[in-house]
Amino acid sequence: NNILKGSVSHNIVNNNASEIIFDTKELEIEKVELENGVKAEFNLTEEDPILGKGLVVKITPETKKVTIHYKTSPTSEAVQWLNPQQTAGKTKPFLFTQGEAILTRSWIPCQDSPGNKITYTASITVPEGLTAVMSAKSIPEKADGRFNFKMEQPIPSYLIALAIGDLQYRSLGERSGVYAEPSMIDACVYEFQDIENMITAAEELYGDYAWEQYDVIVLPPSFPFGGMENPRLTFATPTIIAGDRSLTSLIAHELAHSWSGNLATNSTWDDFWLNEGFTVYFERRITEALYGRDYSEMLALLGYQDLKQSVGELDKKDTHLKLELEGRNPDDGMTDIAYEKGYFMLRLIEETVGREEFDAYLKQYFTDFKFKNLTTEEFVTYINEKLPQTKEMNLNDWIYGPGLPANCPEVVSNKFKLVDEAHNHKPNDFASVEGLNPEKWTTHEWLHYIRGIDVESWEKNGLYEIADEAFGFTNSGNAEIAAAWFEKSILGGYEAVNPKLEEFLINVGRRKFLTPLYKALLEADKATLANDIYVKARPNYHFVSTSTMDDLLGYKG
């Protein structure tokens, strides 16, 4: 029936209160009890389209525990139910949740704010042959079909996560491993061989890993994000399984969240950049430590390209680091601004005060805000105290001002300079050009090459066909390369990609890919094709993706 049914018990700090309010959305509340099974009076507030309904429970000043019996709706925004055909194995169903930003309330009645950190235990009963995993420590029990969990460190509710499916587990080292469907497990193990090295590199930078175990679960392709940093269990898209370990910087990003975001957390969604800007900075420091400066600078330059595009497309107020999301869905703030503008501000601070001093600051920052929350204003006060040089840096221009300030650090990539040279030659002439060796290019170099395609020139000179014959872009098994190529092909009228484009859009639910591809179809006056594909693809997408695509395409059902 696509329903989760059970109860949640909240142990509360009672401030002499007569009522307590929980967030809910599309939940059926069956009954509410206080200690010793005493029935409690409750009511639901009028529904807000974004926030759902408040569950108002009458309590006494002595109440220390509130238990809510409830069941979810089949249309719960956090929970995606997949039939067997939507999985890799095609034989068993799958379920996963996605709580960020405010969707946990659609499967657990809770106080669904990033500023409220909690510990939790859970007991999940599932049908025979399925395995449940959560963002918590697994507690073994002999009962068939029941899985128990305990999260001892305080986390915000958006990090409570559940997945259920036909899963296998493989260890990757002393404190890491991977879950995946059986048909994918070998490929995932190969792809994630550097995870233990990433943990070591991260600890050498900014202190001990605080969560004991770091596992990754590779979900079905409908997962709407690249990754989600659920503590102890990163959720990851299968689109990073490229076969050559070229896209695992995403894992470095989610691992970095174990410090920035999961330890030191934004108090409100207006402060979202405190999670993501720090994490992008940390991710690039991890990749630099493991793969060298050339590698991390390619990532930084691709990020800068994304940032420039976002600054050009967004309303000015949405290009501030400190957001104003009152009355809006906080998901609106999850743009490249938080990630890349945040990164470049932190990089500017590093370049101004020196890397050694900035590293010492960050290590202290993660210690001082461990398992705590902070606002943007608290960050400014803290950094001005610890690094007085920042008082003269006009950080307010970055935080409260639009666009990119003039003192944005410049990224130079020698590898990308060679790629830029490639645009002066036809794709089938590369072999005759000294210094051009695309056989050794990384995914990042190919992305830079594809992004640099001049659509009009390529269409006029028939270069799409030539490049496709030379490099096989349309049939690439690398999702990043395929998506970038599809976008340029749509805009250049290269219709040979259409069958593969449709297959990609139907099978991949990652919003990062969907948004630019559907936008390109609209820009190329192919709205009919976009909508025809979307009708087929929409059942495979999570709510996070459909909410964006519905608006983009004007979908009414």
Side-chain angles (χ1 to χ4, degrees):
N1 295 324
N2 291 358
I3 286 172
L4 292 166
K5 179 178 170 63
S7 64
V8 57
S9 295
H10 293 273
N11 297 312
I12 66 173
V13 176
N14 192 326
N15 296 304
N16 199 35
S18 59
E19 64 180 28
I20 184 169
I21 304 174
F22 300 97
D23 296 309
T24 76
K25 195 166 191 185
E26 291 193 281
L27 298 179
E28 181 181 331
I29 308 301
E30 296 176 332
K31 64 179 177 178
V32 181
E33 297 172 329
L34 308 182
E35 288 96 336
N36 302 317
V38 175
K39 192 174 180 180
E41 292 183 33
F42 68 90
N43 68 279
L44 291 164
T45 65
E46 186 176 343
E47 183 164 14
D48 179 279
I50 296 172
L51 303 176
K53 297 179 180 181
L55 171 61
V56 183
V57 180
K58 300 295 183 184
I59 61 174
T60 71
E62 290 74 38
T63 300
K64 296 287 190 273
K65 184 176 182 180
V66 178
T67 299
I68 304 161
H69 298 261
Y70 71 100
K71 59 183 179 181
T72 66
S73 161
T75 56
S76 164
E77 293 173 353
V79 186
Q80 183 157 20
W81 304 83
L82 302 175
N83 63 48
Q85 280 303 114
Q86 294 171 294
T87 68
K90 311 295 184 189
T91 59
K92 295 180 181 179
F94 205 104
L95 172 157
F96 67 85
T97 66
Q98 172 55 43
E100 193 178 36
I102 55 169
L103 301 184
T104 300
R105 66 190 67 194
S106 71
W107 74 285
I108 305 172
C110 61
Q111 294 188 333
D112 196 11
S113 161
N116 180 38
K117 288 194 171 183
I118 57 172
T119 58
Y120 77 88
T121 60
S123 181
I124 309 292
T125 303
V126 303
E128 184 180 355
L130 299 180
T131 297
V133 293
M134 291 193 77
S135 55
K137 182 187 298 183
S138 180
I139 309 297
E141 183 176 303
K142 292 181 180 179
D144 291 339
R146 180 179 296 170
F147 297 84
N148 296 308
F149 306 93
K150 187 172 189 178
M151 171 49 69
E152 297 174 307
Q153 297 93 337
I155 61 170
S157 55
Y158 73 85
L159 292 177
I160 303 175
L162 169 69
I164 301 169
D166 181 14
L167 296 170
Q168 283 188 1
Y169 179 78
R170 295 270 187 88
S171 174
L172 295 171
E174 186 178 340
R175 50 181 169 169
S176 64
V178 59
Y179 290 94
E181 291 186 68
S183 63
M184 293 185 63
I185 192 71
D186 289 339
C188 295
V189 169
Y190 174 82
E191 208 78 13
F192 298 150
Q193 282 302 304
D194 279 344
I195 281 183
E196 284 286 341
N197 293 332
M198 287 181 180
I199 298 172
T200 300
E203 288 189 316
E204 288 175 353
L205 284 166
Y206 302 132
D208 291 344
Y209 178 74
W211 309 89
E212 293 105 31
Q213 183 73 12
Y214 184 76
D215 292 330
V216 177
I217 177 172
V218 178
L219 296 173
S222 60
F223 184 57
F225 296 130
M228 182 63 211
E229 65 271 16
N230 303 310
R232 298 181 65 103
L233 185 65
T234 282
F235 280 21
T237 171
T239 61
I240 65 169
I241 308 301
D244 59 3
R245 302 173 182 165
S246 62
L247 302 179
T248 53
S249 61
L250 181 141
I251 298 299
H253 181 91
E254 304 310 332
L255 171 64
H257 267 303
S258 302
W259 286 260
S260 50
N262 296 6
L263 276 189
T265 309
N266 47 245
S267 288
T268 77
W269 293 115
D270 285 347
D271 307 297
F272 180 58
W273 79 272
L274 288 171
N275 274 22
E276 296 298 350
F278 274 85
T279 301
V280 173
Y281 178 85
F282 196 171
E283 164 207 338
R284 289 179 185 153
R285 291 295 305 278
I286 293 172
T287 56
E288 179 183 332
L290 290 181
Y291 311 124
R293 180 76 170 179
D294 279 347
Y295 187 97
S296 62
E297 286 295 85
M298 287 193 290
L299 292 174
L301 195 47
L302 291 172
Y304 181 76
Q305 294 167 3
D306 293 335
L307 178 58
K308 290 283 284 185
Q309 182 171 341
S310 293
V311 167
E313 293 175 349
L314 294 170
D315 289 341
K316 282 189 175 181
K317 69 178 185 302
D318 288 336
T319 65
H320 303 185
L321 284 180
K322 175 75 173 188
L323 297 168
E324 298 175 19
L325 294 170
E326 182 70 30
R328 301 170 63 189
N329 192 322
D331 197 51
D332 291 349
M334 295 184 179
T335 71
D336 288 315
I337 302 302
Y339 292 75
E340 298 295 346
K341 186 177 180 181
Y343 162 77
F344 278 104
M345 188 183 83
L346 295 174
R347 177 167 172 157
L348 175 66
I349 296 171
E350 178 216 300
E351 292 180 1
T352 302
V353 306
R355 174 168 283 193
E356 186 175 345
E357 190 168 353
F358 191 53
D359 279 351
Y361 159 81
L362 284 177
K363 197 168 186 177
Q364 190 63 46
Y365 169 84
F366 292 129
T367 298
D368 290 348
F369 289 100
K370 187 175 183 178
F371 302 124
K372 297 178 182 177
N373 295 81
L374 75 160
T375 64
T376 298
E377 290 69 31
E378 288 169 326
F379 158 78
V380 172
T381 299
Y382 181 84
I383 198 168
N384 285 345
E385 176 189 332
K386 300 295 183 183
L387 296 174
Q389 309 96 303
T390 57
K391 294 177 183 178
E392 312 301 323
M393 289 181 59
N394 295 323
L395 294 184
N396 282 354
D397 290 349
W398 283 82
I399 294 169
Y400 302 106
L404 269 178
N407 59 348
C408 182
E410 182 180 357
V411 183
V412 176
S413 170
N414 293 325
K415 288 183 177 292
F416 278 3
K417 287 180 180 178
L418 290 172
V419 176
D420 290 333
E421 172 64 22
H423 285 292
N424 297 319
H425 306 278
K426 287 188 176 182
N428 55 349
D429 289 342
F430 283 10
S432 63
V433 181
E434 187 177 352
L436 277 186
N437 190 1
E439 290 183 4
K440 293 187 176 180
W441 280 4
T442 63
T443 295
H444 316 302
E445 286 158 293
W446 281 117
L447 283 176
H448 186 64
Y449 176 72
I450 294 170
R451 288 182 178 193
I453 289 173
D454 182 305
V455 171
E456 290 186 9
S457 172
W458 271 51
E459 184 178 11
K460 179 180 177 181
N461 295 296
L463 296 184
Y464 283 101
E465 292 88 348
I466 293 171
D468 217 0
E469 186 175 341
F471 307 128
F473 290 142
T474 298
N475 293 302
S476 174
N478 184 310
E480 293 277 357
I481 290 173
W485 173 248
F486 291 152
E487 183 180 0
K488 288 290 186 178
S489 297
I490 293 166
L491 297 173
Y494 180 54
E495 296 189 352
V497 303
N498 284 1
K500 283 293 183 180
L501 168 67
E502 179 170 333
E503 181 183 321
F504 185 89
L505 287 172
I506 288 173
N507 289 297
V508 174
R510 188 176 174 185
R511 188 170 61 175
K512 171 187 176 181
F513 298 145
L514 303 184
T515 303
L517 291 177
Y518 282 115
K519 277 185 176 179
L521 286 167
L522 296 180
E523 188 178 333
D525 294 324
K526 296 184 181 297
T528 300
L529 177 60
N531 282 282
D532 287 348
I533 293 173
Y534 187 57
V535 168
K536 301 174 191 175
R538 192 177 186 277
N540 295 331
Y541 297 164
H542 186 275
F543 169 79
V544 164
S545 292
T546 59
S547 61
T548 300
M549 300 313 128
D550 285 356
D551 185 55
L552 176 66
L553 297 170
Y555 179 82
K556 301 298 182 186

